[in-house]
Every structure is written in C-alpha cells, then in structure tokens.
Amino acid sequence: MELRQLECFVAVAEESSFTRAAARLHVVQSAVSATIAALERELETPLLLRTTRRVGLTDAGRELLPKARATLDAARDARDAVHAVKGGLRGTLRIGTMSSLGLIDLPALLGRFHRELPAVTLRLATAASAGGSPGLLAALAQGRLDVAFVSIRGHPPAATHLRDLTSTPLDLVVPRDHRLADRNEVAISELADESFIDFPPGYGNRAVTDRAFTAAGLQRRVSLEITDIDAGTDFVRQHLGIALLPRAVIPSGNDLSILPVTGADLDWPISLATPTGRTPGAATRAFEHLVTQYLANSPTGSLPCASPP
C-alpha cells in the first residue's frame, strides 16, 4: 500500500467523483482510476461504489477512509519535521473563508504568512462556493480544508472546534429617501413590513438576522439573496430592498443612511474552525498562531511573525 494510492482514494472519497479528484490531484482521470483499482486489488475488496451519478464508499471503504487520512497526516508531519530541520516549512494550507471577516484583514494575514513561509502554498475556498459556513465546516470535517473562518451560533458539529475571534453588530442600511432614513435608531418591530436584501440560508449573518426576527415574533420578507457583503449597499442604493450588514464593512456615502437596530441581538460572530479528528500540520499551527497574534496586536495594526511558538 502506497501513500499515492491512499491520497487518490481519499480524494475520490471526499469529492465523490473521479473527475474532481483528478483535477484536485492535478493528474488525468485514468491515472486515478488505475491507482484505485490497484489498491482494491491489493486489499482484495472493492472500496468504492461506482454509479452513473456519483461515487460512494463500500463498507470497507468507510472503514479505510479515517485510517487513510491518519496515515497521510502522519506522512505530512514527518515531511514537516524534516523540512523544519532543513530550515523551511513546505506543503499546502487550505483555508475556508467567508466573503468578509469584519475587522480581520485576511489579505494582510495571508501576505504576512506568505512572506514568512513562502514555500507553503495557500488555497482559498469561499463560503459562496461551499454553501455558507455549514458548507465550510463540512469541508473541514471531511478533510478538504485545514482551517476555516466561519460564523456559527450555538454548538459546532462534533468533528470541528470553534475558537471565537471577534464579532460586529449588523446595522440597518436604507436609501436616503427611505421613511426611516432620518432616524437615529430603529426598533426591530418597525421592520416587519420591509423587503430585505440578505444572504441565503446557512450564511452566518443571515442566521443572526433570522434568529433576531424569530425571537421578536416577527415575519420577514427577503426579496433578494446575495453572496457578497461588499455589494449589499449597491443593491440598497438601487432601491431593491433594505439590508442588515456588518457595521465594520459598511462604506460611508451621502446616498445611504445607517441605523442601529434596538430590541434585538444582531451581533455577527466570527470564529476560526479547526477539525477535532486530525492532528493539525505545522502550516496550520503557524497560521493559527499568526491569527492569535494579529488579533492581539490589531489596535496597532502590526502583524507578527508567522512561525509557530
């Protein structure tokens, strides 16, 4: 049994597709199929259920998957240890992220990380492509991500650990000619008959808003769903609805009014999620350390070294 065989098996299992697994591994599909076939011959049992629509796991495949992941993690740790002795960490760090992180400057974080550890390849997966924070957590639990910025209230899935980083209030954004534009604040009870621009179900800020309206005993109408926080104000300007957006990312403008909402808990939390069933690699630990130090030093705007303690 070779590491390459296990790598192909894990990729197919996680992607539920030979085609997507081949693209992920940067090889042709026939090579993935041949590698899996060789592994099945060696183990003398089918590992995958192949249909015209998707690829699933047999009972044997389900038993092998966590052990294959653990073996690949152990091999990664061994490589990391050797590279650390040689003076340079290598590998790939797969990061999931929402479209906005409030006051957290992700490009600055990644820029510093890259300067400190240039041999580590960074790959980003967005909430828009994953299906919001729940999709990012699922990808994390399945081993397709190493770490993810998410917005989840309550208990996280059993396979993930959440570390709270920060939160920012959601403020109401309306056009300047809106009936509420000249107010200093607005009660949530006054918003029941409005049309809202919001994110699809599963996104963190949508969950915060839905929870607040439910707690207030109010119905809410969402007339337009978007996936880009920065574009939210543009839709408001076009009178397509009003929006509750994170205070930290709302741009100023004379054509908009921004109002705090009273009578509701509209804090949007941001957390760093890591898997509980896998040992984090050196690159993941270095990134977590960088995030910790960034938040500790954020009032001064300084960024620390990315090397783990």
Side-chain angles (χ1 to χ4, degrees):
M1 194 182 305
E2 300 176 357
L3 291 176
R4 185 62 175 173
Q5 292 175 321
L6 296 180
E7 187 178 23
C8 284
F9 167 69
V10 169
V12 173
E14 291 177 352
E15 300 293 342
S16 299
S17 164
F18 281 86
T19 301
R20 290 193 295 272
R24 167 172 155 179
L25 298 171
H26 305 290
V27 298
V28 296
Q29 182 176 330
S30 58
V32 175
S33 299
T35 301
I36 295 296
L39 179 60
E40 290 177 323
R41 286 195 302 270
E42 182 172 343
L43 295 176
E44 298 180 344
T45 186
L47 300 172
L48 300 170
L49 295 169
R50 301 158 175 85
T51 69
T52 55
R53 293 186 176 182
R54 65 186 301 273
V55 178
L57 291 171
T58 64
D59 289 342
R62 280 190 288 272
E63 288 295 320
L64 177 61
L65 183 58
K67 297 184 173 52
R69 286 172 173 155
T71 300
L72 294 174
D73 286 346
R76 176 208 61 203
D77 291 343
R79 286 192 296 267
D80 289 348
V82 172
H83 292 151
V85 171
K86 294 171 63 178
L89 183 62
R90 301 179 186 176
T92 299
L93 180 62
R94 302 163 300 173
I95 304 170
T97 183
M98 299 178 290
S99 60
S100 174
L101 298 178
L103 295 174
I104 299 175
D105 189 343
L106 184 60
L109 277 170
L110 298 184
R112 183 56 185 263
F113 186 90
H114 177 68
R115 288 190 294 274
E116 293 292 335
L117 300 172
V120 176
T121 300
L122 297 173
R123 292 181 181 170
L124 285 181
T126 65
S129 63
S133 290
L136 292 176
L137 290 175
L140 195 69
Q142 294 165 6
R144 292 185 283 118
L145 292 175
D146 300 305
V147 65
F149 293 97
V150 299
S151 180
I152 293 289
R153 285 216 171 166
H155 296 292
T160 58
H161 170 74
L162 291 187
R163 176 185 164 203
D164 294 337
L165 299 179
T166 184
S167 66
T168 185
L170 300 181
D171 284 341
L172 183 69
V173 182
V174 300
R176 279 297 305 168
D177 58 357
H178 191 273
R179 65 181 179 87
L180 299 171
D182 294 329
R183 300 275 293 276
N184 293 323
E185 61 183 26
V186 59
I188 191 171
S189 58
E190 299 178 77
L191 304 177
D193 296 327
E194 296 287 343
S195 294
F196 278 84
I197 299 162
D198 209 335
F199 285 69
Y203 280 73
N205 45 342
R206 172 68 179 265
V208 169
T209 304
D210 286 346
R211 186 190 298 259
F213 273 78
T214 298
L218 301 172
Q219 296 290 329
R220 187 171 69 108
R221 181 171 68 254
V222 177
S223 58
L224 181 65
E225 292 183 345
I226 61 175
T227 58
D228 184 356
I229 284 181
D230 294 330
T233 52
D234 294 332
F235 290 100
V236 173
R237 287 188 177 96
Q238 298 302 319
H239 295 78
L240 293 169
I242 63 175
L244 286 161
L245 297 173
R247 180 178 299 172
V249 300
I250 300 175
S252 59
N254 295 329
D255 53 348
L256 296 175
S257 289
I258 302 168
L259 300 87
V261 178
T262 62
D265 178 6
L266 287 170
D267 272 349
W268 176 50
I270 298 175
S271 304
L272 188 68
T274 51
T276 57
R278 304 196 316 271
T279 302
T284 302
R285 296 196 303 272
F287 185 74
E288 289 185 83
H289 176 65
L290 179 63
V291 171
T292 298
Q293 295 302 312
Y294 171 77
L295 292 175
N297 292 279
S298 58
T300 64
S302 60
L303 281 171
C305 175
S307 301

